[in-house]
Amino acid sequence: MGTPHAAVASLDRLMLDGHEVIGVYTQPDKPSGRGNKIVFSPVKRFAIDHDLTVLQPAKIKTSEALAEFTALGAEVAVVVAYGRILPETFLKAFPMGAINLHFSLLPKYRGAAPVNWAIVHGDQKTGVTAMQMDPGLDTGAILMQQETEIGDDETSIELMQRLSSLGADVLSETLTNYKSIIPRKQDNAEATLAPIMKKEDGLIDWTLSAPDISNRVRGFQPFPTAFTLFHGKKLTIWRSNVRELEPTIGRPGEIIEAVKDQFAVLCGENSALELKELQLEGKRRVNARDFVNGVRPDVGELLGS
């Protein structure tokens, strides 16, 4: 049971390990893009390519959906970023229940966006957790975990790709050793939440320190992105570096350098951020040199509203 690209590695691993996948649940197809064309989820595309049965119920909290689910007669449901909260009846439908692969070191970062918030908060490590699902939000007993460091320049897209592969390994080991694993209850006192991100989360507050803003640039990809305003247009920052700065007088958001490939902005706590890759509304992504040459920003101008 999964939907995005991050879930494909686990489905692929289940098949490579020789498990019989008797059904693949994924979110219903949705129109996307300018032409509102119907787009299949990455999991559905993979399932079709491998002749697997695909199920896409519009609602799962119905007696019909439960009957269809139970009739599969599976030993276990494996859930990886399915995108829906399963009713307790689903969790108890099969002998081994439902095992969820979550992209954090639970109980830290329960919720929809653990990878993004780990980077935004400046964490140096994260990981994956295989969990026995219960009715709560990522509150089930821990079966297995694997830790990994977060790279200094790693974006949430890059980190998710690594965790997808790492998670597939952990899931494989969990299913192989399931009968001998002793589930470990989570400490709810240590729990933190990673809520779904909103568009307004990406608006840059230049009074924050440069490291904090840089973390947001890395963590808010591909959505909502880290963005500001320049000459009344949305300016998205795709890549940035923290710059060492001598004590400087100026306002947060003020451009302090704009020459050749150097484009730097003053931030809070007397810090500065080098903007390395940018995208002005209606334009393509460019490096700092092309932006400076094309847009010609002036030192002293302000970014932001």
Side-chain angles (χ1 to χ4, degrees):
M1 306 181 80
T3 299
H5 182 73
V8 172
S10 292
L11 178 54
D12 187 30
R13 185 58 181 270
L14 289 175
M15 298 183 65
L16 290 174
D17 285 352
H19 296 289
E20 181 186 3
V21 180
I22 58 174
V24 175
Y25 275 72
T26 191
Q27 291 273 32
D29 303 330
K30 295 181 179 179
S32 179
R34 292 183 179 179
N36 277 333
K37 294 181 179 179
I38 295 297
V39 177
F40 293 170
S41 74
V43 165
K44 181 175 180 177
R45 290 199 302 268
F46 181 93
I48 291 174
D49 289 343
H50 292 80
D51 297 321
L52 299 174
T53 300
V54 176
L55 301 105
Q56 298 176 276
K59 297 180 180 180
I60 58 173
K61 295 181 179 181
T62 66
S63 57
E64 293 80 9
L66 177 60
E68 182 180 48
F69 186 74
T70 305
L72 293 172
E75 293 174 278
V76 62
V78 175
V79 184
V80 186
Y82 177 39
R84 288 185 171 178
I85 297 176
L86 298 181
E88 189 171 6
T89 50
F90 273 59
L91 304 181
K92 296 180 177 180
F94 304 141
M96 292 167 58
I99 294 174
N100 174 237
L101 180 66
H102 187 74
F103 298 110
S104 81
L105 296 173
L106 289 171
K108 195 169 188 179
Y109 297 126
R110 294 173 177 172
V115 176
N116 305 86
W117 289 111
I119 292 179
V120 169
H121 291 156
D123 290 3
Q124 295 182 334
K125 66 179 182 179
T126 185
V128 295
T129 301
M131 171 191 68
Q132 190 77 54
M133 294 180 72
D134 67 11
L137 178 64
D138 300 325
T139 56
I142 295 169
L143 300 173
M144 189 169 290
Q145 289 183 315
Q146 181 68 51
E147 181 182 300
T148 186
E149 292 187 358
I150 300 175
D152 291 339
D153 298 321
E154 198 166 24
T155 68
S156 52
I157 295 173
E158 295 164 341
L159 179 57
M160 177 61 85
Q161 187 173 357
R162 283 205 303 115
L163 292 179
S164 298
S165 178
L166 181 64
D169 292 339
V170 169
L171 180 61
S172 173
E173 191 173 348
T174 299
L175 292 174
T176 298
N177 300 291
Y178 182 80
K179 292 183 179 179
S180 62
I181 294 174
I182 300 175
R184 175 166 54 91
K185 288 186 177 181
Q186 295 187 40
D187 184 351
N188 291 327
E190 296 182 358
T192 59
L193 294 179
I196 191 168
M197 296 164 295
K198 304 181 294 295
K199 182 178 180 180
E200 54 265 32
D201 290 328
L203 181 61
I204 295 173
D205 177 0
W206 292 104
T207 65
L208 296 174
S209 70
D212 283 342
I213 296 173
S214 180
N215 289 340
R216 282 161 169 74
V217 170
R218 294 164 48 227
F220 286 148
Q221 296 188 30
F223 178 86
T225 70
F227 59 90
T228 187
L229 292 176
F230 185 60
H231 293 175
K233 294 184 177 181
K234 180 180 178 181
L235 177 63
T236 301
I237 315 300
W238 289 104
R239 193 162 60 89
S240 63
N241 289 331
V242 177
R243 170 184 284 197
E244 295 294 328
L245 187 68
E246 296 294 329
T248 301
I249 297 175
R251 298 165 293 176
E254 182 177 338
I255 298 172
I256 58 175
E257 187 172 14
V259 58
K260 295 183 179 180
D261 61 350
Q262 300 298 310
F263 185 33
V265 179
L266 192 64
C267 306
E269 300 180 20
N270 196 57
S271 59
L273 194 68
E274 291 185 2
L275 309 186
K276 308 298 288 185
E277 188 174 348
L278 312 92
Q279 185 174 14
L280 194 60
E281 184 178 343
K283 305 292 184 179
R284 61 184 178 89
R285 289 167 63 165
V286 295
N287 59 32
R289 179 184 290 273
D290 289 343
F291 183 85
V292 169
N293 289 339
V295 179
R296 299 190 178 280
D298 292 324
V299 170
E301 286 191 287
L302 281 178
L303 300 183
S305 57

